[in-house]
């Protein structure tokens, strides 16, 4: 039970119910690295699809997952706002029983906001070209929406693509989540408790057979944006439910994290 002290109440972290511990993860990577499939392994997921491409993967990976389509053909930003209201009010959990909210994808959500701003400019009879003020509005709205999703009382998984820039001075390829705005990739990564870059490796088997293995990098070199949580290894298999088990086990027994011997090719 929370302790009372003046206007404050407190509870020791170790005494808090496991139900209060919510995983907030940003998954990013190139197309085909398994981001949507990985999110499908989360406990009772409900997908908010801002693009329809992920639907076949969800149906194959987890037919029991709930899907709310919010692409332009299915209501767009209006559906996104309705979804947030239902998730905050408890209506979403009551009607679906979902425990995880997945936004697929965040970079498409940003494009929808950008198009909405541009549409408003045309409706006001102004030039359709983006000004610095418009870019600032886009950044502020994106920040607000991502924080709103992160703060929902569910496990939350945000999905986005990866971008890479080659630095001629260092000779390194810097990999980060794909968002428009110079500071936004690192800002949005900071909103989540864990950030994983997804990638795939090809393993040669007997004969001419090749097996494709998918991995999630949570702790890596400085030129790759990622963030690990206690209990998770540097590189994990793409199974969100297993991550949760490891995190909860780590919080109860204080076991150290084991470094992985795998290395991504990014």
């Amino acid at each position: 039970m929370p302790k009372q002290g003046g206007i404050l109440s407190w509870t020791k972290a170790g005494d808090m119910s496991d139900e209060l511990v919510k995983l907030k993860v940003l998954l990013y990577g190139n197309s085909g690295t398994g981001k949507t499939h990985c999110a499908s392994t989360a406990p009772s997921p409900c997908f908010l699809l801002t693009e329809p491409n992920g639907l076949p993967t969800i149906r194959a990976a987890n037919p029991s997952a709930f899907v709310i389509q919010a692409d332009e053909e299915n209501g767009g930003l209006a559906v996104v706002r309705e979804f947030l209201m239902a998730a905050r009010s408890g209506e979403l959990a009551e009607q679906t029983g979902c425990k995880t909210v997945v936004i697929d994808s965040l970079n498409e959500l940003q494009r929808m906001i950008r198009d909405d701003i541009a549409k408003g400019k045309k409706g006001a009879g102004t030039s359709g070209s983006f000004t610095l003020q418009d870019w600032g509005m886009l950044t502020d709205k994106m920040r607000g929406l991502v924080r709103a999703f992160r703060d929902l009382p569910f496990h939350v998984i945000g999905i986005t693509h990866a971008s890479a820039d080659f630095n001629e001075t260092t000779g390194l390829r810097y990999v980060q989540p794909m968002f428009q705005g110079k500071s936004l990739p690192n800002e949005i990564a900071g909103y989540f408790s864990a950030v994983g870059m997804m990638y795939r490796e090809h393993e040669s088997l007997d004969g001419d057979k090749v097996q494709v293995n998918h991995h999630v990098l949570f702790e890596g070199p400085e030129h790759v944006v990622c963030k690990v949580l206690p209990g998770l290894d540097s590189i994990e298999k793409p199974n969100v439910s297993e991550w949760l088990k490891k995190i909860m086990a780590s919080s109860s027994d204080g076991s150290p994290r084991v470094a992985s011997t795998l290395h991504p090719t990014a």
Side-chain angles (χ1 to χ4, degrees):
M1 293 291 293
K3 309 271 184 172
Q4 296 293 330
I7 62 172
L8 300 177
S9 63
W10 64 85
T11 306
K12 290 182 179 179
D15 294 337
M16 297 179 73
S17 167
D18 289 353
E19 289 297 315
L20 296 177
V21 179
K22 303 300 182 185
L23 187 60
K24 314 289 182 173
V25 180
L26 177 63
L27 291 178
Y28 76 100
N30 293 331
S31 180
T33 51
K35 301 180 294 295
T36 301
H37 191 284
C38 178
S40 297
T41 67
S44 305
C46 179
F47 282 79
L48 179 67
L49 289 183
T50 57
E51 54 182 285
N53 296 346
L55 187 55
T57 298
I58 298 167
R59 291 185 65 178
N62 187 350
S64 298
F66 290 91
V67 174
I68 297 174
Q69 293 181 281
D71 56 275
E72 296 291 358
E73 296 297 319
N74 289 283
L77 284 176
V79 173
V80 172
R81 296 185 182 104
E82 288 179 20
F83 179 91
L84 271 171
M85 289 177 60
R88 285 169 171 162
S89 69
E91 182 182 357
L92 180 68
E94 181 180 340
Q95 292 188 1
T96 67
C98 75
K99 297 180 180 178
T100 306
V101 165
V102 183
I103 308 97
D104 190 0
S105 67
L106 287 173
N107 54 288
E108 183 65 17
L109 177 61
Q110 187 181 32
R111 184 200 63 76
M112 292 165 64
I113 298 171
R114 185 193 66 205
D115 290 351
D116 190 59
I117 294 172
K119 190 184 300 182
K121 288 168 64 69
K122 290 179 182 178
T126 57
S127 169
S129 59
F130 251 50
T131 63
L132 284 176
Q133 183 178 3
D134 295 328
W135 285 112
M137 183 187 302
L138 172 63
T139 299
D140 288 343
K141 287 189 173 186
M142 188 62 185
R143 286 183 186 128
L145 267 179
V146 173
R147 285 199 299 266
F149 278 113
R150 176 204 61 187
D151 294 341
L152 292 175
F154 299 87
H155 303 299
V156 176
I157 300 174
I159 293 175
T160 190
H161 293 294
S163 66
D165 293 307
F166 181 75
N167 187 304
E168 294 184 358
T169 302
T170 63
L172 295 173
R173 188 164 146 266
Y174 288 83
V175 184
Q176 62 186 9
M178 180 185 288
F179 295 105
Q180 290 184 315
K182 187 175 181 181
S183 64
L184 208 53
N186 275 302
E187 280 190 55
I188 289 184
Y191 295 159
F192 291 85
S193 53
V195 179
M197 186 202 77
M198 297 205 60
Y199 66 100
R200 56 190 174 191
E201 288 185 328
H202 293 80
E203 179 183 355
S204 297
L205 302 178
D206 294 338
D208 297 329
K209 294 182 179 180
V210 175
Q211 177 175 296
V212 179
N213 298 314
H214 296 263
H215 306 288
V216 187
L217 179 71
F218 281 113
E219 188 173 42
E222 288 294 323
H223 58 276
V224 178
V225 173
C226 48
K227 187 195 301 184
V228 72
L229 276 172
L232 296 180
D233 295 341
S234 300
I235 297 175
E236 287 283 351
K237 293 180 179 179
N239 190 317
V240 180
S241 292
E242 289 301 315
W243 302 347
L244 275 167
K245 291 178 184 178
K246 294 177 72 171
I247 290 168
M248 300 313 297
S250 173
S251 65
S252 62
D253 64 19
S255 58
R257 185 166 42 82
V258 179
S260 174
T261 58
L262 294 173
H263 299 283
T265 55

